[in-house]
Amino acid sequence: MGLFGSKEVCPVCGKRIRGDVLVKIKDNVPLCRECSAMVNMDAALIPLQSAEDMKRHLAYRERNLEKYERFHTTLEAKAGLSLLCVDEVQMLWYCIRNRREKNPPLFDYGEILDFQYLEDGQPVEEEEKKGVFGTLFGGKKEEAAMLHSMKVHIVLDNPYTKTIDLEMIAANDGVRSGSLGYKANRKALERVMDILKRITGIAESCGQDMGDGISREQTGAGITGEESEQEIIEKYDHI
């Protein structure tokens, strides 16, 4: 719905809201287009955010940009349209689908809680990697299945991003198990898995935890930060 002529102001920056509303937070409160463009969190979390939560989030995004500008890729893996990049020096990583992304969310190694390789939503165990064909009672090969999803699913301990999927098969497409296309997809995803195993192993050996000072208190909208409240006020409370 357009808001031409609206007298509503953005609760984050104080600017008048013009044009279509892109993001609405708690209590159906709209943000201006400029602040909306800076938001990067799971869609389900946005309606839970208060104005103060969103100010913290945008401060978090500014710090993210500063880290991204110092990011140097030392490891990478492509999976379909997604690209996984790792900075082994800073122990940071990110995943993007658009290479023109100017501020992708960065994650510490220690923010990875779990990751799995899935085919059509089902985890593929290590022992299954030896082959994709089984045998039936008569010794005949089982017919190769048509798969519509091959991905690595990552679960995160992050206040704004809870999961990431690196998909190899586009929507409405499919690949037959055991085919050349399947093997190419599998190889790409196993490269992703190898990198994730490597960085989580390093995190465990170093005892790495969240380094950005964001606590995960959940009290309603409940994402709080340890950054200075005065800093937030100076940046955003100039209404």
Side-chain angles (χ1 to χ4, degrees):
M1 178 178 177
L3 290 176
F4 182 78
S6 171
K7 295 183 179 180
E8 286 188 276
V9 296
C10 177
V12 174
C13 69
K15 295 180 181 178
R16 178 171 292 185
I17 297 174
R18 302 178 185 277
D20 293 334
V21 172
L22 301 179
V23 172
K24 290 186 178 182
I25 59 174
K26 192 174 183 180
D27 298 326
N28 212 34
V29 174
L31 301 185
C32 69
R33 295 182 68 89
E34 290 79 5
C35 288
S36 296
M38 295 173 63
V39 174
N40 193 313
M41 68 172 71
D42 291 347
L45 297 177
I46 294 175
L48 305 178
Q49 309 302 304
S50 67
E52 291 303 311
D53 292 331
M54 195 56 71
K55 290 174 185 177
R56 294 187 183 98
H57 174 64
L58 297 191
Y60 173 92
R61 294 288 296 146
E62 288 183 8
R63 293 195 301 274
N64 188 91
L65 178 59
E66 292 171 0
K67 291 193 291 184
Y68 179 63
E69 289 172 346
R70 300 190 299 270
F71 189 97
H72 177 68
T73 301
T74 59
L75 277 177
E76 70 176 36
K78 186 177 180 182
L81 297 177
S82 299
L83 182 67
L84 172 67
C85 296
V86 180
D87 184 332
E88 296 172 284
V89 177
Q90 299 189 74
M91 297 176 68
L92 296 171
W93 65 278
Y94 67 85
C95 180
I96 56 172
R97 291 178 62 86
N98 183 351
R99 290 174 182 261
R100 292 176 292 179
E101 171 66 62
K102 296 180 180 179
N103 187 15
L106 299 180
F107 307 102
D108 294 323
Y109 285 7
E111 290 183 80
I112 300 175
L113 292 178
D114 191 22
F115 56 93
Q116 283 186 308
Y117 169 50
L118 306 174
E119 292 183 359
D120 281 351
Q122 299 301 313
V124 178
E125 304 298 335
E126 289 292 328
E127 55 268 21
E128 294 180 51
K129 294 182 179 180
K130 296 177 181 178
V132 296
F133 295 107
T135 57
L136 299 176
F137 291 108
K140 297 180 181 179
K141 289 183 178 179
E142 184 180 344
E143 183 180 354
M146 182 64 73
L147 299 174
H148 298 281
S149 174
M150 296 176 70
K151 67 182 179 182
V152 171
H153 178 70
I154 307 172
V155 180
L156 298 171
D157 182 19
N158 180 274
Y160 305 117
T161 305
K162 301 304 181 183
T163 62
I164 293 175
D165 287 331
L166 286 86
E167 292 266 10
M168 282 302 302
I169 303 177
N172 301 320
D173 288 341
V175 64
R176 193 166 296 282
S177 179
S179 67
L180 291 177
Y182 170 88
K183 292 175 181 177
N185 289 351
R186 184 85 177 232
K187 184 177 180 180
L189 291 174
E190 287 181 352
R191 164 70 173 165
V192 170
M193 292 287 287
D194 287 342
I195 290 177
L196 294 175
K197 289 174 184 176
R198 177 172 178 172
I199 66 179
T200 52
I202 292 171
E204 289 175 6
S205 64
C206 295
Q208 190 193 59
D209 199 357
M210 269 290 281
D212 203 285
I214 301 288
S215 68
R216 292 162 186 74
E217 271 184 39
Q218 291 295 123
T219 54
I223 294 173
T224 63
E226 293 177 5
E227 68 271 16
S228 166
E229 290 293 329
Q230 186 60 38
E231 176 186 344
I232 296 171
I233 292 171
E234 289 174 356
K235 283 188 174 182
Y236 297 106
D237 283 1
H238 51 274
I239 298 174

